[in-house]
Amino acid sequence: MDMASIALPRRRSAVARGRAEQREERAAYLFLSPWLIGLLVFWFGPIVASFVLSFTDWNLLNPPHWIGGENYHTLRHDYNFSQSVHVTLRYTVMAVPLYIVAGFGLSLLLNLRMRGMNLFRTILFVPSVLSGVAVAILWMSLLNPDVGAVNGFLEALGWANPPRWLGSPTWAVPSLVLIGLWGVGGSAIIYLAGLQNIPAQLYEAIALDGAGSWQRFRYVTLPMLTPTLLFVLLTSLIGAIQIFDTAFVLGGQQGGTGGSLRFYLINLWQEGFTQGQLGYASALAWIFVVAAAVIILAIFRTSGRWVYYEDGVDQI
Amino acid sequence: MAAVDHSDPQFSRRHVVRAFFVAHPRFRKRIGQLTAYALLVALSLFILMPVAWMITAALKPDLEPVFTVPTEWFPTTFWHWENFARVFNGTGLPFMRYTINSCIVVAGNILGTVISCSLVAFAFARLRFRGSGPLFYVLIVSMLIPWQALMIPRFYMFFKMGWYGTLWPLIVPSFGGTAFFIFLIRQFMRTIPRELDEAARVDGLGYWQIYWRIILPLSTPALTVCAVFAFLWNWNDLLGPLIYLNSDNQFTVAIGLANLAQRAGNAQYNLLMAANFLSIIPPILVYFFLQRKLIGGIASVGLKG
């Protein structure tokens, strides 16, 4: 089952509901109660609270005062904020297309029927279960500009002045993109699941029509995989704008050399929890939610044009 | 009809090669396979060599440079296994404490996830009630809201409750259910035949008993997948512990490592790498043992966290 078959519960008319139905409904809400309470306490409450707080000057020392839209006004001249948006966008634009293509390519390779494939799959998926912290610490040393393995390798290849990676404002974001590429097996698992769900008859049918391997890919594999692509696009975009752990370990609280690793959430965390500007940070958080919502909606709005659902119904 | 110009060496060589492959399709397949193997081996090395280097560096004695030119990928000279033990009880390295804390957080989250998410998923998958459609939409939408955006009011709430500096804020929310897990279990429960419920109803079982005796035991594959994800996410989480914890006694492995990375100079690089290696053992073990279930679980819903 995949995204295509997420069926919604059928709505029933409220007419002629007997005692049994009432009992069923009461039971249902009892079963739902942990989630309903959690939703209220951990989601609705905080959403409303952060909206209200974003109009206050609350810091940990003083109680909140209403200051209207001043936080949102300050944003427009806040260099840290605009830099964090810039760094995050730069990372997203570089990372997301690269990871989508690389993950897809890798899954095609791992979908081949060859001996020992399980071993390769196991190895290539390993980085995706590791923590951002562990991966960052590992790559921090490999990317050491003077004595790290990566530059040693590049110098051996004849590159006289390889990049300074995390120490260089230009190369800091590409370094993170490279580190993320190490874990691209994670999205390959999802593509692989999608590839293995494609019915074999489709390939047989197109082979009868005399299609070559490119045509098989173009007219069967690609369209059948568009729901998976939609899902991966959505999660990798959300994941990219939420990047925190790796950047925190590699760039520290200040967001790297000259703020070159000041990602949106690093900035939010710093404003809120080290500067104590919780009202201002709430405004940042709200902008973040709105941006995430806009991205999600934009993708769903355009998805009808390029996502192919075989059964054509019951989709989100 | 114009004759092919055989005097052009470029053309004729290409021509011959193509003719050879057309005549020997098995040979062509072999070349394709060899290329694929070469690529896979290269990619596997790209994954494994950094891990091997980490072990090499972890086994070195103090003050010995971990960086060498050329890079030493596999341990040859030094085998200081005691470095791994030092991480647990060395001075300023309370990784034993960190590990216990991480285990508490992980266990609490698995418990909360399995209990609450299976209850909620049961209602969505098996019961009919007014509002089920809209509530399901709310579930899907809440899956897409980044929780980090809500960290300030949540922090304030837990602070007011006196839970700042305890592990509670990292555990309790899981008892309110996690949208992704509820969705995953619900998808699985929908595949269990409805006749089972109906037969149970005829036998006089109530909803609770249908959940507890029939649906829950049959849902263990989905529950396992959720438990594994809960383990991985919480073992690896940095931001949560960073916000809610404030002393060495409560730190989890992830935050302990992040702190060590920021203060460990070259003198303690071996210990940092040893700690880092130890921190990735639990996720890797879980992954190796539950690989099939995990990948099957992802395949069954087409979703991943």
Side-chain angles (χ1 to χ4, degrees):
Chain A
M1 219 186 296
D2 61 358
M3 289 290 281
S5 47
I6 301 164
L8 294 172
R10 192 170 300 154
R11 183 184 282 176
R12 300 181 78 233
S13 72
V15 202
R17 294 168 60 257
R19 191 171 288 170
E21 272 114 332
Q22 276 178 14
R23 259 190 50 215
E24 184 168 357
E25 190 166 287
R26 252 204 323 270
Y29 277 96
L30 269 177
F31 277 102
L32 288 174
S33 57
W35 176 63
L36 292 175
I37 293 168
L39 201 63
L40 212 64
V41 177
F42 300 121
W43 293 96
F44 284 150
I47 287 175
V48 174
S50 86
F51 185 63
V52 175
L53 286 173
S54 76
F55 294 99
T56 69
D57 63 354
W58 183 39
N59 54 35
L60 276 181
L61 306 173
N62 303 306
H65 295 108
W66 188 266
I67 53 167
E70 202 177 301
N71 285 329
Y72 293 95
H73 196 75
T74 314
L75 276 174
R76 303 195 345 226
H77 311 287
D78 180 357
Y79 177 71
N80 286 343
F81 168 72
S82 57
Q83 193 182 27
S84 73
V85 171
H86 182 82
V87 170
T88 309
L89 282 181
R90 192 155 163 255
Y91 173 78
T92 308
V93 168
M94 279 195 247
V96 171
L98 181 67
Y99 295 168
I100 285 184
V101 172
F104 193 22
L106 183 61
S107 71
L108 290 175
L109 196 60
L110 291 173
N111 197 35
L112 295 175
R113 263 181 224 152
M114 300 195 320
R115 201 173 295 175
M117 195 50 94
N118 277 335
L119 179 68
F120 289 120
R121 283 183 194 162
T122 305
I123 293 172
L124 287 163
F125 296 157
V126 161
S128 58
V129 301
L130 305 186
S131 70
V133 175
V135 172
I137 289 175
L138 183 55
W139 279 88
M140 181 169 68
S141 37
L142 295 171
L143 287 174
N144 184 305
D146 301 310
V147 285
V150 172
N151 276 3
F153 179 69
L154 292 177
E155 276 161 17
L157 285 181
W159 190 340
N161 284 310
R164 311 271 317 154
W165 300 113
L166 296 159
S168 141
T170 331
W171 283 93
V173 169
S175 303
L176 258 82
V177 176
L178 175 74
I179 294 170
L181 199 58
W182 195 63
V184 87
S187 64
I189 306 184
I190 306 169
Y191 289 120
L192 197 58
L195 284 174
Q196 293 179 344
N197 277 344
I198 300 177
Q201 306 96 278
L202 291 178
Y203 287 113
E204 287 157 17
I206 198 169
L208 281 180
D209 294 340
S213 51
W214 165 250
Q215 282 155 321
R216 278 208 306 270
F217 175 78
R218 173 68 188 82
Y219 296 109
V220 176
T221 312
L222 207 53
M224 290 300 286
L225 223 55
T226 44
T228 312
L229 276 168
L230 170 67
F231 176 73
V232 176
L233 177 67
L234 212 56
T235 48
S236 25
L237 272 174
I238 305 268
I241 60 173
Q242 286 179 21
I243 182 169
F244 182 86
D245 296 8
T246 344
F248 183 80
V249 175
L250 295 173
Q253 306 181 359
Q254 303 305 318
T257 315
S260 54
L261 290 177
R262 184 185 286 277
F263 287 92
Y264 199 93
L265 285 185
I266 298 270
N267 188 47
L268 200 168
W269 179 82
Q270 209 211 351
E271 293 285 359
F273 292 94
T274 65
Q275 308 288 327
Q277 301 296 331
L278 292 163
Y280 186 59
S282 296
L284 293 178
W286 253 87
I287 290 176
F288 190 67
V289 172
V290 171
V294 167
I295 292 174
I296 293 165
L297 281 178
I299 292 175
F300 274 129
R301 287 293 287 277
T302 58
S303 69
R305 272 179 248 151
W306 60 273
V307 177
Y308 171 77
Y309 288 103
E310 206 182 5
D311 40 8
V313 287
D314 277 352
Q315 28 170 298
I316 296 186
Chain B
M1 201 162 85
V4 177
D5 180 9
H6 284 285
S7 60
D8 177 1
Q10 192 85 50
F11 172 78
S12 90
R13 196 181 307 139
R14 231 193 307 153
H15 195 79
V16 167
V17 169
R18 186 172 302 160
F20 176 80
F21 279 134
V22 170
H24 303 273
R26 283 187 58 200
F27 194 82
R28 185 168 75 170
K29 203 180 161 199
R30 194 111 202 111
I31 296 255
Q33 274 196 343
L34 282 176
T35 321
Y37 272 124
L39 259 171
L40 286 167
V41 169
L43 288 169
S44 302
L45 283 178
F46 175 59
I47 303 296
L48 292 177
M49 300 239 308
V51 180
W53 183 83
M54 177 161 63
I55 300 170
T56 311
L59 290 172
K60 297 206 168 175
D62 290 1
L63 303 174
E64 173 76 20
V66 294
F67 298 104
T68 51
V69 180
T71 306
E72 194 191 355
W73 288 109
F74 301 96
T76 47
T77 339
F78 300 109
W79 301 88
H80 287 262
W81 293 107
E82 76 274 9
N83 283 352
F84 290 111
R86 285 172 65 200
V87 168
F88 279 115
N89 45 31
T91 41
L93 288 166
F95 268 83
M96 187 59 103
R97 185 73 244 172
Y98 298 162
T99 309
I100 293 170
N101 291 335
S102 276
C103 289
I104 294 172
V105 171
V106 164
N109 271 279
I110 291 179
L111 191 70
T113 296
V114 167
I115 294 175
S116 62
C117 296
S118 67
L119 285 168
V120 179
F122 176 77
F124 275 123
R126 306 305 263 200
L127 301 178
R128 292 177 194 178
F129 54 97
R130 274 177 301 173
S132 64
L135 279 177
F136 192 67
Y137 272 118
V138 171
L139 182 83
I140 299 290
V141 170
S142 75
M143 203 151 57
L144 297 170
I145 299 175
W147 79 268
Q148 295 93 330
L150 306 176
M151 63 188 173
I152 290 159
R154 280 193 188 181
F155 166 79
Y156 183 66
M157 181 175 72
F158 287 124
F159 185 79
K160 280 284 164 194
M161 289 164 80
W163 284 1
Y164 175 64
T166 71
L167 297 176
W168 292 112
L170 301 173
I171 297 172
V172 170
S174 72
F175 284 84
T178 308
F180 172 67
F181 295 144
I182 295 172
F183 177 74
L184 199 141
I185 300 171
R186 177 244 186 201
Q187 294 297 91
F188 186 87
M189 283 181 174
R190 278 165 52 91
T191 64
I192 300 171
R194 280 217 166 254
E195 290 77 46
L196 286 177
D197 299 33
E198 278 148 25
R201 297 289 301 281
V202 172
D203 288 349
L205 265 64
Y207 294 110
W208 170 258
Q209 285 168 314
I210 294 176
Y211 159 79
W212 183 249
R213 291 209 202 150
I214 297 170
I215 303 295
L216 195 64
L218 287 173
S219 302
T220 36
L223 295 176
T224 312
V225 173
C226 292
V228 172
F229 274 125
F231 166 79
L232 289 175
W233 291 354
N234 287 288
W235 183 267
N236 293 341
D237 182 31
L238 175 66
L239 189 53
L242 198 59
I243 293 168
Y244 298 124
L245 306 180
N246 61 2
S247 83
D248 237 17
N249 268 333
Q250 303 128 7
F251 282 167
T252 60
V253 172
I255 187 170
L257 262 177
N259 286 339
L260 185 61
Q262 285 175 359
R263 69 184 151 81
N266 281 330
Q268 282 204 314
Y269 228 100
N270 50 353
L271 296 185
L272 176 62
M273 287 299 146
N276 206 29
F277 181 72
L278 290 175
S279 84
I280 67 172
I281 290 179
I284 288 187
L285 280 184
V286 166
Y287 165 67
F288 277 149
F289 283 113
L290 296 169
Q291 189 184 5
R292 195 152 292 204
K293 279 202 175 127
L294 197 58
I295 291 176
I298 296 164
S300 70
V301 281
L303 286 172
K304 185 216 169 204

